[in-house]
Amino acid sequence: MSWEYWVILIESSIILVGAGVYIGSYIDNRRAQDSFEQYDDLTGDLNREAMMSMGQSVLKDAQKYCRTFSVAMLDLDNFALVNQTFGKHRGDDVLKKVAELLRKELRQADKISRWRGEGWLVLMPDSRAEEGKNVFMRLQQALIESQFSLPQNWSVTVCMGIAEKQDNDREFDDVIKRADTALVKAKQRGKNTFLVYSSD
């Protein structure tokens, strides 16, 4: 074989190896980026889009295997006053701390998403709505015992509404809407309130 053949063969091999490394690196970076995009920048919790996708899968499994789950919606009470009084930086510190407490007080199987500015959605597989009361009480106590970057006369409290999957649910959003309705009613009753959804 001529030396030109060997030069072409070597160059082709180098190109193929380089392309393989580039493609492998691109795939790894893409996976890392996709994973990163599933989480909220501030709290590290799942973002809304990731939770919707996960929740729809959980709903399908629950329907297929006759299982249940509950969805809890939580909002910080009067959080706008924290930002207005102490600034957004202090407000962000409060949000991060509450997210940390949620992860600590919930089960490993439960999934947490930052749903809106000062609110979270919690997906609790194999859990009845009434069981959410225990979660709320643990969170209440944790908030009382925790140190926030606020003056001592400022307390951090939440309201929580919870709803359970129903047999006629076709979308994860059906459960979310009921949990959100329960949350709105809880907030109407006052700060630091828990409520299970009821059609009454």
Side-chain angles (χ1 to χ4, degrees), residues 71-99:
V71 168
M73 299 285 286
L74 298 92
D75 265 3
L76 289 176
D77 296 321
N78 298 331
F79 181 70
L81 286 176
V82 175
N83 281 338
Q84 292 170 8
T85 306
F86 304 107
K88 188 175 182 300
H89 179 71
R90 288 278 187 93
D92 286 351
D93 287 343
V94 171
L95 291 172
K96 287 188 283 188
K97 183 67 174 180
V98 173

Side-chain angles (χ1 to χ4, degrees), residues 175-195:
V175 194
I176 293 174
K177 288 176 180 176
R178 293 197 301 275
D180 205 24
T181 297
L183 174 62
V184 169
K185 291 181 178 180
K187 293 170 73 171
Q188 289 171 349
R189 295 184 181 186
K191 297 193 301 181
N192 212 20
T193 304
F194 168 84
L195 192 65

Side-chain angles (χ1 to χ4, degrees), residues 81-119:
L81 286 176
V82 175
N83 281 338
Q84 292 170 8
T85 306
F86 304 107
K88 188 175 182 300
H89 179 71
R90 288 278 187 93
D92 286 351
D93 287 343
V94 171
L95 291 172
K96 287 188 283 188
K97 183 67 174 180
V98 173
E100 178 186 326
L101 293 176
L102 272 172
R103 289 190 291 269
K104 181 179 178 182
E105 297 303 328
L106 289 163
R107 304 172 304 172
Q108 187 173 4
D110 298 332
K111 303 302 179 184
I112 309 168
S113 168
R114 187 178 178 199
W115 199 247
R116 46 193 168 227
E118 69 275 14

Side-chain angles (χ1 to χ4, degrees), residues 40-58:
D40 176 64
D41 291 340
L42 180 65
T43 64
D45 295 325
L46 290 169
N47 63 25
R48 193 168 182 144
E49 291 77 16
M51 177 59 85
M52 286 298 292
S53 177
M54 180 180 295
Q56 194 64 28
S57 296
V58 169

Side-chain angles (χ1 to χ4, degrees), residues 45-169:
D45 295 325
L46 290 169
N47 63 25
R48 193 168 182 144
E49 291 77 16
M51 177 59 85
M52 286 298 292
S53 177
M54 180 180 295
Q56 194 64 28
S57 296
V58 169
L59 175 61
K60 288 181 180 178
D61 286 344
Q63 292 169 330
K64 182 176 181 180
Y65 299 108
C66 298
R67 300 168 72 175
T68 191
F69 65 86
S70 294
V71 168
M73 299 285 286
L74 298 92
D75 265 3
L76 289 176
D77 296 321
N78 298 331
F79 181 70
L81 286 176
V82 175
N83 281 338
Q84 292 170 8
T85 306
F86 304 107
K88 188 175 182 300
H89 179 71
R90 288 278 187 93
D92 286 351
D93 287 343
V94 171
L95 291 172
K96 287 188 283 188
K97 183 67 174 180
V98 173
E100 178 186 326
L101 293 176
L102 272 172
R103 289 190 291 269
K104 181 179 178 182
E105 297 303 328
L106 289 163
R107 304 172 304 172
Q108 187 173 4
D110 298 332
K111 303 302 179 184
I112 309 168
S113 168
R114 187 178 178 199
W115 199 247
R116 46 193 168 227
E118 69 275 14
W120 285 265
L121 182 151
V122 181
L123 170 60
M124 298 184 284
D126 299 310
S127 179
R128 297 289 180 184
E130 291 76 10
E131 296 172 34
K133 180 68 173 179
N134 294 329
V135 174
F136 181 69
M137 292 175 66
R138 291 200 307 271
L139 182 58
Q140 275 183 314
Q141 189 61 34
L143 289 170
I144 291 171
E145 295 173 355
S146 295
Q147 298 293 322
F148 287 91
S149 56
L150 300 172
Q152 290 185 349
N153 61 323
W154 281 76
S155 59
V156 177
T157 60
V158 300
C159 280
M160 178 175 170
I162 189 167
E164 191 174 325
K165 180 194 79 72
Q166 296 179 356
D167 291 340
N168 61 345
D169 288 330

